[in-house]
């Protein structure tokens, strides 16, 4: 598709021409081009008529987009900086002294006019200032003109065939040239932007993607690792037309694999090559050639051209790009803002060749050479040698320090070093390999080579904090790794993507609260990196705040034990089924259907295994239980009258419910229905289970379906993402719970607990009890299991002692059940490593 002739002179800020077409689509609504234009005009007025230097701390939100378009359309040179890097914002404010600083906060645009008018000499062609790749916060900026932006947007729109019905999901930051090019090219064509700051590993991202009919998204190389993790290749995305890739080299085998996946699934893969200095794109690989020529960058974008200049001493020349999107030049100080064009072509620094088919191929980097022991070493070649051995690696170094190489995953670094030394002809002492769980990456997904070089610096492991309350921002990745037993935690991971569940949620949230202060309600969907960048916690006072689900689990557990000891009677067991449904919807309904089913199976295992193990011990030590108890079948085949064999009814019913919902969501069309309409699905589940609540249907079982109804109510609470929906769920609870138990206090307890989950983000807890509350909540299942054997021993002494004594025993069993799998896995790794070492050939 070529550009519409009527749009050949159009610009991406000419919004009003598209009238009522949808411009911005979010999870919460749609903004037309006419409405967007009106908001842009309002900000233009606020910025004033005099041309000034504007700094925008950018987020992926509507207000940032409005501010960007206002500054560009009004001719104010704009310095775009990521808002989540306050140090970078401060550094650039100090270096360039902007006249105006714009920030977005709580759905509003804040305009900080640092002085009236301008104090700068600004060249008339200057439109935008962006940091170069990997230099966020550095005074060195790329100077771009309005023509650079418009020509690159036209070029991209032409080769991607963007039409007015296309909709792109904003998967990359606006402050990144690649992410910004998506915005410009889509607005130019009157297409839609599905605006979100969610990660592709967040299931909510794909919900928004489907609901808003997105047809494309942009990815960097690392994105494909995340897409693989969430099962993207098997997702049902009926509107997806193409995926674009840039921001670094994607390995040829991955290009071929994803291109073939796209061919099977009905979408195209556009591999692209570019740089901030070229406003974004210089080349693209036509999708029909991607599987056949996956190692190439393709052909120049429309309007651009390449040539290859010889480089002395090297077999391949340097790739040089010419086109209307080449930057004006660099700015390294405030005075450079007065400069006009200082370059006419872009020397990329990449070594390249042009193949017989006319496709260009980058074969190395002109600057990525080091001289070691008199030998010239190509760092790209080092990475390719290791890649050929199936090892992902990043190589850097210097003439003085030799090679420093990071390899991803567990490998025999001594053997790899031996291979490299032999192939490269280098002294053994000049090559240092370091194994890493993940290669260090920048926020754009590119390799962080300074971090790789830092691996060679001597390190001393920081001591573990003596007091968990001293945990700090730097401890966030370690807290995730320890609580989830995941040594592979990366800055882009979330609690959900790491397969966290309700059992690990409590321990993790309590420790994070100690490190970060009060947590946002959606912290489990925020990345480790985002949590690590939160501000320092305020000094803790006498009161802390914890999520209602945590407090309710802890309090309900104590009340259950106290009721059985007959210290006081306050029935709370059924409230825990509401909490269970709430947590199930939050943590278990993520990823593909197969990933969900694996997560459900793991969750069931964490309940069934410790329960069966303990009940088996109880069966051997007492005469109170039967074989049916061990296999959690008493609810099915046990006596109808209440005896000691009903002690574990709660565990049995929870397992029955989880098995039922797992079977339900294993049905493909039901799984798809839940994804497309999560709240409606939850309400439908409530409606079905109410048939048992009102005895319209008799399932022939004593308790599961009434419990299922409460579980479904908790599920609906988790999916109620707006005031109207919360009011609806609250009304359902108020109308359906009273009268069921013929016990007003028990019914009031369930209703109040549900309302707390629905409306209250955090509950106050005395600071001295914060960690204890977390322990009790995390160990609630284990306390319930063990208290049946503990309290009869202590009750003759004192009812209070009987209650208090049950709690540490349950916590201890919880800690044991957490430790055993970790210890077993470590033992397996040690024995596996030892076995591999014994089999390794000797030198």
């Amino acid at each position: 598709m070529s550009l519409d002739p009527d749009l050949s002179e159009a610009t991406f800020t000419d919004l009003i021409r598209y009238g009522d077409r949808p411009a911005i689509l979010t999870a919460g609504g749609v903004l037309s081009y006419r409405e967007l234009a009106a908001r842009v005009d309002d900000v233009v007025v606020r910025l004033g008529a005099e041309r000034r230097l504007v700094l925008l701390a950018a987020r992926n939100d509507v207000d940032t987009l409005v501010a960007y378009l206002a500054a560009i359309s009004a001719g104010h040179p704009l310095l775009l900086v990521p808002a989540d890097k306050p140090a970078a914002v401060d550094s650039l404010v100090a270096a360039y002294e902007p006249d105006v600083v714009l920030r977005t906060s709580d759905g509003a645009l804040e305009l900080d006019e640092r002085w009236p008018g301008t104090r700068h000499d600004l060249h008339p062609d200057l439109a935008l200032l962006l940091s170069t790749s990997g230099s966020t916060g550095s005074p060195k900026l790329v100077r771009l003109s309005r023509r650079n932006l418009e020509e690159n947007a036209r070029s991209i729109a032409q080769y991607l065939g963007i039409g007015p019905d296309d909709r792109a999901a904003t998967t990359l930051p606006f402050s990144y040239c690649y992410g910004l090019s998506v915005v410009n090219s889509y607005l130019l064509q009157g297409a839609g932007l599905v605006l979100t700051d969610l990660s592709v590993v967040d299931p909510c991202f794909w919900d928004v993607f489907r609901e808003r009919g997105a047809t494309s998204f942009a990815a960097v190389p690392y994105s494909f690792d995340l897409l693989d993790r969430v099962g993207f290749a098997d997702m049902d995305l009926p509107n997806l037309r193409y995926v674009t890739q840039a921001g670094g080299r994607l390995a040829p085998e991955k290009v071929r694999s994803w291109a073939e996946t796209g061919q099977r699934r009905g979408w195209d893969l556009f591999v692209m090559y570019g740089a901030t200095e070229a406003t974004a794109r210089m080349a693209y690989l036509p999708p029909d050639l991607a599987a056949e020529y996956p190692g190439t960058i393709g052909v120049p974008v429309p309007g651009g051209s390449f040539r290859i200049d010889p480089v002395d001493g090297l077999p391949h020349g340097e790739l040089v790009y010419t086109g209307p999107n080449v930057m004006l030049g660099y700015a390294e100080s405030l005075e450079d803002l007065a400069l006009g064009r200082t370059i006419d072509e872009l020397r990329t620094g990449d070594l390249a060749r042009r193949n017989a088919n006319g496709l260009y191929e980058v074969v190395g980097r002109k600057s990525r050479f080091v001289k070691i022991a008199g030998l010239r070493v190509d760092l790209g070649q080092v990475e390719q040698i290791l890649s050929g051995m199936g090892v992902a690696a990043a190589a850097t170094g210097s003439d003085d320090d030799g090679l420093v190489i990071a390899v991803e995953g567990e490998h025999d670094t001594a053997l790899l070093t031996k291979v490299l030394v032999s192939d490269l002809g280098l002294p053994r002492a000049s090559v240092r390999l370091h194994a890493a769980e993940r290669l260090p990456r920048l926020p754009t997904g590119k390799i962080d080579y300074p971090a790789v070089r830092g691996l060679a610096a001597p390190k001393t492991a920081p001591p573990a904090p003596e007091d968990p309350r001293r945990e700090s921002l730097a401890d966030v990745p370690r807290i995730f790794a320890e609580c989830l037993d995941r040594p592979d935690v990366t800055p882009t991971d979330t609690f959900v993507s790491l397969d966290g569940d309700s059992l690990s949620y409590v321990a993790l949230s309590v420790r994070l609260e100690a490190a970060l202060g009060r947590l946002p309600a959606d912290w489990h969907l925020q990345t480790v990196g985002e949590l690590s960048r939160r501000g320092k916690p305020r000094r803790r006072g006498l009161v802390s705040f914890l999520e209602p689900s945590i407090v309710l689990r802890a309090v309900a557990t104590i009340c259950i034990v106290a009721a059985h000891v007959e210290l006081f009677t306050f029935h709370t067991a059924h409230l825990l089924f509401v909490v269970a449904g709430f947590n199930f919807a939050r943590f278990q309904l993520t990823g593909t259907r197969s990933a969900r089913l694996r997560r459900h199976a793991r969750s069931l295992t964490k309940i069934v295994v410790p329960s069966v193990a303990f009940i088996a011990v109880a069966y051997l030590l007492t005469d109170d239980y039967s074989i049916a108890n061990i296999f959690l079948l008493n609810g099915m085949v046990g006596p109808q009258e209440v005896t000691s064999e009903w002690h574990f009814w709660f565990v049995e019913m929870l397992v029955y419910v989880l098995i039922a919902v797992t079977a339900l969501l294993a049905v493909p069309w039901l799984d798809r229905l839940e994804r497309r309409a999560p709240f409606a699905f939850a309400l439908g589940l409530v409606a079905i289970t109410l048939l048992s609540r009102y005895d319209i249907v008799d399932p022939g079982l004593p308790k599961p379906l009434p419990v299922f109804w409460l579980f479904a109510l908790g599920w609906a609470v988790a999916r109620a993402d707006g005031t109207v929906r919360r009011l609806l769920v609250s009304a359902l609870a108020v109308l359906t719970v009273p009268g069921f138990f013929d016990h007003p206090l028990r019914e009031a307890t369930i209703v109040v607990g549900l309302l707390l989950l629905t409306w209250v983000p955090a509950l106050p807890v005395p600071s001295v009890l914060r960690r204890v509350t977390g322990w009790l909540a995390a160990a609630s299942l284990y306390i319930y299991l063990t208290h049946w054997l503990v309290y009869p021993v202590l009750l003759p002494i004192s009812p209070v002692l009987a209650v208090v004594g049950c709690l540490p025993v349950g916590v201890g069993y919880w800690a044991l059940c957490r430790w055993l799998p970790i210890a077993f896995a470590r033992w397996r790794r040690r024995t596996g490593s030892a076995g591999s070492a014994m089999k390794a050939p000797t030198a």
Side-chain angles (χ1 to χ4, degrees):
M1 170 182 168
S2 59
L3 280 175
D4 186 327
D6 293 337
L7 298 178
S8 58
E9 298 302 322
T11 72
F12 58 86
T13 58
D14 188 11
L15 305 172
I16 195 66
R17 70 180 295 137
Y18 296 113
D20 294 324
R21 290 195 58 82
I24 309 300
L25 303 97
T26 67
V30 178
L31 199 66
S32 71
Y33 271 90
R34 191 183 311 280
E35 291 167 329
L36 178 61
R39 293 185 60 168
V40 169
D41 290 343
D42 289 342
V43 177
V44 168
V45 172
R46 292 176 64 187
L47 288 173
E50 184 177 358
R51 194 163 179 261
R52 299 193 286 177
L53 179 62
V54 177
L55 183 145
L56 172 59
R59 303 182 187 277
N60 277 28
D61 59 22
V62 175
D63 291 304
T64 290
L65 180 60
V66 169
Y68 163 71
L69 293 170
I72 295 298
S73 61
H76 299 288
L78 181 67
L79 202 173
L80 207 53
V81 192
D84 62 353
K85 292 183 171 54
V89 175
D90 294 342
S91 172
L92 290 169
V93 167
Y96 286 95
E97 301 178 6
D99 303 309
V100 180
V101 175
L102 299 176
R103 291 183 172 88
T104 64
S105 176
D106 298 327
L109 181 66
E110 298 176 355
L111 191 151
D112 177 14
E113 189 173 33
R114 304 179 74 233
W115 42 76
T118 184
R119 306 198 312 184
H120 304 305
D121 183 5
L122 304 169
H123 192 276
D125 290 342
L126 181 62
L128 186 65
L129 295 158
L130 293 177
S131 294
T132 60
S133 178
S135 66
T136 301
S138 164
K140 184 177 182 179
L141 301 173
V142 171
R143 295 182 291 116
L144 299 172
S145 68
R146 178 71 178 264
R147 182 169 181 248
N148 288 154
L149 299 173
E150 292 171 354
E151 292 293 342
N152 201 231
R154 290 192 184 99
S155 175
I156 293 169
Q158 181 174 336
Y159 73 74
L160 289 181
I162 299 172
D165 293 328
D166 282 317
R167 295 177 177 182
T170 56
T171 47
L172 299 172
F174 288 171
S175 55
Y176 177 30
C177 71
Y178 183 13
L180 195 63
S181 71
V182 174
V183 171
N184 294 342
S185 55
Y186 270 69
L187 293 181
L188 175 73
Q189 293 289 78
L193 294 171
V194 179
L195 190 59
T196 176
D197 60 357
L198 296 171
S199 166
V200 294
V201 300
D202 192 324
C204 297
F205 172 84
W206 297 109
D207 292 340
V208 174
F209 194 95
R210 292 186 191 90
E211 290 167 5
R212 293 308 184 187
T215 59
S216 73
F217 67 91
V220 296
Y222 183 56
S223 302
F224 288 93
D225 294 335
L226 302 179
L227 291 171
D228 205 22
R229 185 185 303 174
V230 299
F232 166 73
D234 297 322
M235 285 186 184
D236 181 19
L237 302 170
N239 295 309
L240 179 61
R241 195 163 72 82
Y242 62 81
V243 177
T244 64
Q245 182 272 313
R249 183 175 184 268
L250 184 63
E253 61 272 15
K254 290 190 175 183
V255 172
R256 179 179 289 108
S257 173
W258 284 106
E260 291 172 347
T261 297
Q263 289 170 2
R264 289 195 306 272
R265 303 292 294 179
W267 50 265
D268 289 328
L269 174 67
F270 280 87
V271 176
M272 307 187 299
Y273 167 82
T276 310
E277 290 86 344
T279 318
R281 306 276 69 82
M282 291 183 278
Y284 73 100
L285 179 60
D288 57 329
L289 301 177
E292 188 176 358
Y293 302 102
T296 68
I297 61 171
V299 297
V301 299
S305 63
F306 285 129
R307 75 169 190 272
I308 298 176
D309 285 354
V311 176
D312 290 343
L314 295 177
H316 300 289
E318 181 182 8
L319 190 65
V320 181
Y321 176 79
T322 305
N325 52 320
V326 172
M327 66 176 178
L328 300 174
Y330 290 113
E332 300 190 57
S333 67
L334 196 153
E335 291 72 23
D336 291 340
L337 303 186
L339 297 176
R341 180 168 291 282
T342 57
I343 66 168
D344 294 309
E345 59 185 18
L346 182 61
R347 307 194 70 85
T348 66
D350 287 329
L351 302 176
R353 63 187 175 204
R354 187 172 183 265
N355 297 335
N357 51 25
L359 302 177
Y360 287 84
E361 181 181 0
V362 173
V363 295
R365 183 79 184 147
K366 182 181 176 183
S367 61
R368 294 205 69 218
F369 285 85
V370 293
K371 202 166 188 178
I372 301 171
L375 297 174
R376 190 178 179 89
V377 179
D378 180 350
L379 298 175
Q381 181 192 7
V382 173
E383 293 174 356
Q384 289 178 10
I385 291 172
L386 292 169
S387 178
M389 299 167 64
V391 179
T396 184
S398 67
D399 297 354
D400 297 329
D401 298 332
L403 289 180
V404 179
I405 306 164
V407 294
E408 188 169 86
E410 294 184 6
H411 297 284
D412 186 340
T413 54
L415 180 60
L416 295 178
T417 301
K418 186 176 179 180
V419 172
L420 285 176
V421 167
S422 174
D423 284 5
L424 301 173
L426 295 175
R428 170 65 182 81
S430 65
V431 179
R432 285 167 289 175
L433 264 74
H434 301 268
E437 293 290 342
R438 300 277 185 200
L439 295 180
R441 296 182 183 274
L442 299 166
T444 60
K446 293 184 177 181
I447 297 294
D448 185 350
Y449 283 104
V452 173
R453 189 175 294 112
L455 295 174
K459 298 183 180 70
T460 56
E466 298 175 3
D467 184 342
R469 289 172 296 180
R470 296 184 181 179
E471 289 178 325
S472 64
L473 298 177
D475 296 312
V476 171
R478 178 175 59 80
I479 294 171
F480 269 82
E482 291 177 358
C483 289
L484 300 177
D485 188 30
R486 290 288 298 264
D488 56 340
V489 174
T490 70
T492 58
D493 285 322
T494 68
F495 176 81
V496 170
S497 72
L498 291 169
D499 293 335
D501 55 27
S502 61
L503 297 176
S504 53
Y505 179 81
V506 177
L508 182 55
S509 62
V510 170
R511 289 186 62 182
L512 285 177
E513 199 262 354
L516 308 179
R518 189 168 175 177
L519 294 172
D522 65 344
W523 73 262
H524 59 291
L525 298 177
Q526 295 188 16
T527 66
V528 173
E530 289 168 343
L531 291 171
S532 298
R533 291 190 292 270
R534 286 179 60 81
K536 294 182 179 179
R538 296 189 297 270
R539 183 181 297 276
R540 195 179 306 283
L542 297 176
V543 175
S544 296
F545 288 87
L546 293 176
E547 283 196 26
S549 64
I550 296 174
V551 179
L552 290 176
R553 282 172 67 175
V555 173
T557 301
I558 295 172
C559 290
I560 289 170
V561 177
H564 293 161
V565 171
E566 298 182 358
L567 181 63
F568 57 81
T569 302
F570 192 63
H571 296 291
T572 54
H574 285 84
L575 173 59
L576 289 178
F577 282 101
V578 177
V579 176
F582 177 75
N583 286 330
F584 177 85
R586 294 173 78 198
F587 310 134
Q588 297 293 307
L589 301 182
T590 61
T592 63
R593 184 164 60 91
S594 58
R596 285 184 174 190
L597 294 177
R598 287 194 299 271
R599 190 173 292 110
H600 299 339
R602 281 195 297 269
S603 181
L604 271 167
T605 300
K606 290 181 179 179
I607 296 171
V608 171
V609 172
S611 299
V612 168
F614 182 81
I615 296 171
V617 172
Y619 170 77
L620 295 173
L621 295 179
T622 72
D623 296 324
D624 295 333
Y625 309 112
S626 68
I627 294 292
N629 287 120
I630 298 176
F631 292 99
L632 304 179
L633 294 174
N634 186 71
M636 299 287 188
V637 301
Q640 292 301 301
E641 66 276 7
V642 177
T643 68
S644 60
E645 293 175 35
W646 279 97
H647 281 177
F648 301 105
W649 74 269
F650 177 90
V651 179
E652 291 186 6
M653 299 311 156
L654 179 60
V655 170
Y656 295 171
V657 168
L658 292 177
I659 291 174
V661 295
T662 299
L664 195 69
L665 295 174
V667 179
W669 69 269
L670 286 175
D671 178 77
R672 289 193 296 270
L673 180 62
E674 194 282 327
R675 294 172 189 276
R676 291 172 182 169
F679 181 68
F681 186 92
L683 283 187
L685 202 59
V686 172
I688 293 171
T689 54
L690 282 175
L691 296 175
S692 172
R693 152 64 180 102
Y694 289 107
D695 294 325
I696 299 172
V697 172
D698 181 5
L701 297 174
K703 292 187 176 66
L705 284 184
V707 169
F708 204 158
W709 151 60
L710 296 172
F711 184 92
L713 272 177
W715 185 332
V717 169
R719 292 309 204 189
D721 53 1
T723 302
V724 173
R725 292 179 173 182
R726 290 174 185 163
L727 285 170
L728 179 57
V729 176
S730 301
L732 277 172
V734 171
L735 292 172
T736 61
V737 173
F740 180 74
F741 295 98
D742 292 326
H743 194 298
L745 182 58
R746 177 184 292 194
E747 293 160 355
T749 300
I750 294 173
V751 172
V752 170
L754 187 142
L755 293 177
L756 288 174
L757 289 175
T758 306
W759 296 101
V760 180
L763 290 173
V765 174
S767 292
V768 294
L769 297 180
R770 177 181 54 83
R771 290 193 64 80
V772 173
T773 304
W775 290 336
L776 295 178
S780 55
L781 172 69
Y782 304 84
I783 294 170
Y784 179 86
L785 287 168
T786 57
H787 88 284
W788 292 111
L789 295 190
V790 176
Y791 86 77
V793 177
L794 301 176
L795 186 56
I797 303 173
S798 163
V800 174
L801 179 61
V803 174
V804 174
C806 289
L807 305 182
V809 174
V811 172
Y813 185 47
W814 164 68
L816 176 66
C817 291
R818 287 189 65 210
W819 174 81
L820 281 174
I822 297 172
F824 180 72
R826 288 173 179 169
W827 175 79
R828 287 287 301 273
R829 285 197 291 268
R830 284 198 303 270
T831 55
S833 300
S836 299
M838 291 175 65
K839 295 176 182 178
T842 57

